[in-house]
């Protein structure tokens, strides 16, 4: 059973200090990564006139970079999750490898890019095995201070902007968005005003259903679901609107007047809906939002909305993901894990 009293218990919070401290340092990691990569990124400015035929990104944060840059990138942008590289990739295409410094997929992409003679941009810790494997005359290493995937994505977008493949980008905006969430979700802020603690309390005994309408909000919903599953050891689903509606229609309706001590337990846990809103207003998003909220209302499902902070696409995404990280941490604390 979830115990919300633990969310303001000093001893319980102290036991989770490593996790909470890591979340609080997210903004600092973004700044450190940008500072570490500044010289290498400055050196890319002279290459802005040498536009590749296409960009292929590989690594854990590749799809995030694509989601941010694809609408404005002047050349085709592909996020490749398979081994190696697409069959058509060659010496006219830029390969960007980023993310986990020791991931086998990143290693395979870097080795294949070198074999084919592709210009290679590697975003990783300078002393990592990936940096060693990727070394070649066609490789540009953009070093980062940590292996944080979000910090690596920020550095990669900065580098691509310097090369003329993305719009100018404000790293400090992302760091400030993470700082704002860290302040609002601090363990020193009590349950009454701490949004992350409130969200953890609301889903403490339920199955969370996560929905985000835009591409980046949907990606943030998947990060939430991953974190909540790890924290609780229970199901958590991030899905498209139609799938969320189907799950809600198949879930038992919540009885608001049920007595938890006298009434028999329901055959399955109730579902709680969390909507992630990154302030993207599009007709399709509004329609899907109405559908999932309507399904929640029909079945008496509890629902919450989480709004992104101000700023650009990546800053809003970062604020949603950071709030999800704190929510998962407080869920774990409340469950006594």
């Amino acid at each position: 059973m979830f115990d919300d009293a633990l969310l303001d218990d000093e001893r319980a919070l102290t036991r989770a200090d490593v996790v909470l401290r890591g979340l609080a340092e997210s903004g600092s990691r973004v700044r450190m990564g940008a500072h570490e990569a500044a010289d290498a990124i400055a050196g890319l400015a002279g290459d802005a006139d040498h536009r590749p035929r296409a960009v292929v990104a590989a690594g854990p944060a590749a799809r995030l970079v694509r989601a941010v840059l694809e609408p404005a990138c002047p050349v085709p942008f592909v996020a490749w999750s398979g081994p190696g590289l697409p069959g058509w990739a060659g010496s006219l295409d830029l390969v960007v490898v980023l993310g986990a410094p020791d991931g086998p997929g990143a290693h395979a992409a870097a080795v294949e890019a070198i074999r084919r003679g592709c210009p290679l941009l590697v975003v990783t810790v300078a002393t990592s095995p990936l940096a060693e494997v990727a070394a070649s005359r066609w490789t540009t290493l953009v070093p980062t201070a940590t292996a944080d995937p979000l910090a690596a994505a920020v550095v990669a977008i900065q580098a691509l902007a310097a090369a003329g493949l993305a719009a100018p980008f404000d790293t400090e905006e992302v760091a400030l968005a993470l700082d704002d969430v860290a302040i609002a979700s601090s363990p020193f802020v009590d349950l009454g005003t701490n949004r992350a603690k409130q969200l953890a309390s609301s889903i403490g005994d339920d199955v969370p259903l996560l929905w985000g309408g835009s591409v980046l909000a949907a990606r943030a919903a998947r990060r939430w679901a991953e974190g909540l599953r790890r924290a609780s050891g229970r199901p958590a689903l991030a899905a498209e609107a139609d799938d969320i509606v189907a799950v809600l229609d198949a879930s038992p309706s919540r009885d608001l007047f049920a007595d938890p001590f006298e009434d028999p337990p329901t055959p399955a846990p109730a579902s709680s809906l969390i909507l992630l809103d990154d302030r993207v207003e599009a007709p399709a998003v509004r329609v899907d939002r109405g559908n999932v909220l309507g399904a929640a209302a029909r079945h008496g499902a509890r629902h919450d909305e989480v709004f992104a902070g101000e700023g650009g696409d990546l800053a809003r995404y970062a604020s949603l993901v950071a709030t999800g990280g704190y929510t998962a941490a407080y869920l774990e604390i409340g469950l006594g894990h």
Side-chain angles (χ1 to χ4, degrees):
M1 296 290 291
F2 185 87
D3 182 1
D4 57 11
L6 293 174
L7 302 184
D8 289 328
D9 182 88
E10 184 176 350
R11 287 179 297 177
L13 294 172
T14 299
R15 288 196 296 271
D17 181 69
V18 172
V19 174
L20 295 171
R21 189 179 297 274
L23 292 167
E25 293 172 349
S26 296
S28 176
R29 288 195 294 272
V30 168
R31 292 187 181 92
M32 289 169 59
H35 177 76
E36 184 79 8
D39 290 341
I41 290 173
L44 292 169
D47 296 334
D49 294 332
H50 301 283
R51 181 173 292 177
R53 178 179 62 178
V55 178
V56 181
R63 292 185 179 182
L64 170 58
V65 175
R66 183 194 64 184
V68 174
L69 296 188
E70 190 175 36
C73 186
V75 300
F77 197 111
V78 176
W80 187 252
S81 58
L85 294 174
W88 51 262
S91 60
L92 298 178
D93 307 302
L94 173 64
V95 176
V96 181
V97 178
L98 67 159
D102 56 354
H107 284 211
V111 170
E112 187 66 13
I114 294 170
R115 189 184 72 81
R116 299 189 195 185
C118 301
L120 179 60
L121 181 69
V122 179
V123 181
T124 188
V125 178
T127 57
S128 69
L130 175 59
E132 182 178 349
V133 167
S136 78
R137 61 178 297 189
W138 304 112
T139 300
T140 300
L141 174 64
V142 181
T144 59
T146 71
D148 186 322
L150 180 57
V154 169
V155 169
I157 294 171
Q158 272 193 312
L160 291 171
L165 297 171
F169 177 70
D170 184 4
T171 301
E172 184 62 18
E173 183 180 66
V174 178
L176 286 173
L178 293 168
D179 289 346
D180 288 343
V181 175
I183 293 169
S185 304
S186 166
F188 302 106
V189 179
D190 64 29
L191 177 62
T193 54
N194 189 318
R195 190 74 179 105
K197 289 182 179 180
Q198 293 169 357
L199 289 164
S201 181
S202 71
I203 61 174
D205 297 312
D206 295 346
V207 174
L209 305 176
L210 291 306
W211 177 80
S214 71
V215 173
L216 284 173
R219 181 179 177 83
R222 292 192 291 273
R223 301 292 82 76
W224 272 63
E226 291 168 2
L228 295 176
R229 287 194 294 267
R230 285 194 298 266
S232 65
R234 301 198 303 247
L237 174 68
E240 300 291 336
D242 291 344
D243 295 324
I244 294 290
V245 170
V247 172
L248 287 169
D249 286 340
S251 300
S253 297
R254 186 189 301 272
D255 183 357
L256 299 179
F257 302 102
D259 188 319
F261 299 102
E262 295 185 3
D263 294 336
T266 56
S271 298
S272 286
L273 174 66
I274 299 179
L275 281 75
L276 304 185
D277 188 337
D278 66 347
R279 305 180 187 276
V280 171
E281 290 293 334
V285 173
R286 290 196 295 271
V287 170
D288 287 344
R289 176 192 176 92
N291 289 339
V292 295
L293 286 175
R298 286 196 303 274
H299 297 282
R302 183 185 292 116
H303 72 272
D304 283 287
E305 297 185 58
V306 181
F307 295 94
E310 301 292 339
D313 291 345
L314 192 55
R316 298 196 305 273
Y317 168 83
S319 71
L320 288 177
V321 171
T323 303
Y326 275 100
T327 300
Y330 291 130
L331 177 63
E332 192 167 15
I333 291 169
L335 290 172
H337 292 180

